[in-house]
Amino acid sequence: MATQSGNTPSVAFIGLGRMGLPMAKNLVAAGFEVIGYDRSEAACASFADAGGKTAGSAREAAAGAGVVITMLPTSAIVASCLVGEEDALAEAAPGALVIDMSSSVPADTLKLAEKLSARGMSLVDAPVSGGVSKAIDGTLAIMVGGEDIERARPVLEAMGDRIFPAGKLGAGHVVKVLNNYVSAAGALAAAEALIVGRDFGLDEAVITDILNASTGRNNTTENKVKRFMLSGAFNSGFDLSLMAKDIGIAAGLAEGLGLKMQLLAQTAEAWQAAENDLQQGADHTEIYRHVDAGAHRG
């Protein structure tokens, strides 16, 4: 994890959720002056306990900040927070750098950049991968789009150990949703394979071990099946609704490019159906329960 010395810009961190809170804490540990904001008082209190400063609003957090980071559920919320109703950037430092680390719609990212440019500010998109555990230990993979990557790098290196310049503005958000599509498709395949094998009379744990020693292994079989699915814990820390949202963005991107991607469309449909069937706030590993119920329905 990078450690700062000398004069560094103050950082506003808006969105202290499951991922954002440990990321902001790592910025503090790296020596940045960070002012955090979240609508959750408990999240703000936890950040303050880690040595961070907190604000009563997004605008207050960003006042005078040279770097403003957003880690929010959707690009619509990002835009509303920064340049919309809340107008968090109204009092940010001249020429401030905005780093959107949310999983956002690429087209919305480009629209936001235009609004920031009119204010003399710049934007990079820098979504992350690795989950809560890697957010905590500062080893996230961060995919970055835009022209100010080097300006953002010192801040990003405090939160991740693999920084990938992905290309032009919006590229980070594109790669992020494509990554989650591949992950989600693998999770569906793993769930279906386990259920077919189980109903044939096999031990799902044994199936998992064989997959992980063979070419069928993927992130779900290696890191999620036994820990979160077969255990019944379903508490990986990433909501199913967010996964469904990201795959929907990927499907929309393909459609906007005039591409017919059958598996992508089917995967998006399957995850949307799971979101509709399961309770609000369901963990994404509960896709296993959804597939199991659907396989035996009717």
Side-chain angles (χ1 to χ4, degrees):
M1 182 184 301
T3 301
Q4 295 301 303
S5 60
N7 295 325
T8 58
S10 61
V11 178
F13 201 109
I14 302 171
L16 302 173
R18 290 175 178 170
M19 293 290 290
L21 180 58
M23 291 163 64
K25 287 181 177 180
N26 281 333
L27 285 170
V28 173
F32 288 94
E33 178 186 354
V34 184
I35 302 176
Y37 171 71
D38 194 278
R39 292 181 178 179
S40 166
E41 293 183 1
C44 288
S46 179
F47 184 57
D49 289 342
K53 300 177 181 179
T54 61
S57 68
R59 180 182 290 197
E60 181 183 339
V67 176
V68 179
I69 297 173
T70 49
M71 189 64 171
L72 298 168
T74 69
S75 50
I77 294 174
V78 171
S80 176
C81 174
L82 294 180
V83 296
E85 183 177 351
E86 296 181 68
D87 200 10
L89 297 177
E91 299 174 24
L97 172 66
V98 177
I99 306 175
D100 181 22
M101 305 191 77
S102 319
S103 184
S104 297
V105 178
D108 291 347
T109 301
L110 300 180
K111 293 176 183 177
L112 177 60
E114 291 179 359
K115 294 179 180 179
L116 295 185
S117 179
R119 298 188 182 201
M121 301 176 182
S122 61
L123 173 69
V124 297
D125 52 305
V128 305
S129 183
V132 174
S133 62
K134 290 187 179 296
I136 291 172
D137 62 23
T139 59
L140 290 166
I142 305 177
M143 50 218 84
V144 193
E147 297 180 357
D148 274 342
I149 292 178
E150 293 310 312
R151 185 178 170 195
R153 187 179 292 276
V155 176
L156 300 178
E157 287 180 342
M159 297 177 282
D161 63 353
R162 291 162 295 169
I163 313 299
F164 295 99
K168 62 185 180 180
L169 187 68
H173 284 147
V174 170
V175 177
K176 168 65 177 179
V177 297
L178 293 178
N179 172 77
N180 278 10
Y181 155 55
V182 173
S183 177
L188 274 176
E192 290 185 348
L194 291 170
I195 292 163
V196 171
R198 181 201 65 198
D199 282 18
F200 182 75
L202 306 181
D203 185 323
E204 289 174 287
V206 173
I207 298 172
T208 304
D209 290 340
I210 294 171
L211 289 173
N212 286 335
S214 308
T215 58
R217 68 184 181 278
N218 62 30
N219 181 261
T220 294
T221 64
E222 291 183 326
N223 301 308
K224 301 173 187 177
V225 168
K226 289 185 177 181
R227 184 177 179 186
F228 302 117
M229 295 178 175
L230 300 186
S231 70
F234 301 117
N235 61 351
S236 75
F238 183 55
D239 283 2
L240 188 145
S241 62
L242 295 177
M243 181 69 93
K245 178 206 72 173
D246 286 356
I247 307 163
I249 293 172
L253 177 65
E255 184 178 352
L257 293 170
L259 302 172
K260 294 182 179 180
M261 296 294 176
Q262 184 176 3
L263 182 57
L264 173 53
Q266 291 174 341
T267 303
E269 181 180 350
W271 280 84
Q272 186 59 60
E275 181 183 4
N276 294 341
D277 284 352
L278 297 172
Q279 75 277 15
Q280 184 177 6
D283 191 84
H284 82 286
T285 55
E286 293 192 57
I287 192 67
Y288 172 83
R289 288 204 304 116
H290 169 75
V291 172
D292 197 10
H296 296 94
R297 191 176 294 153

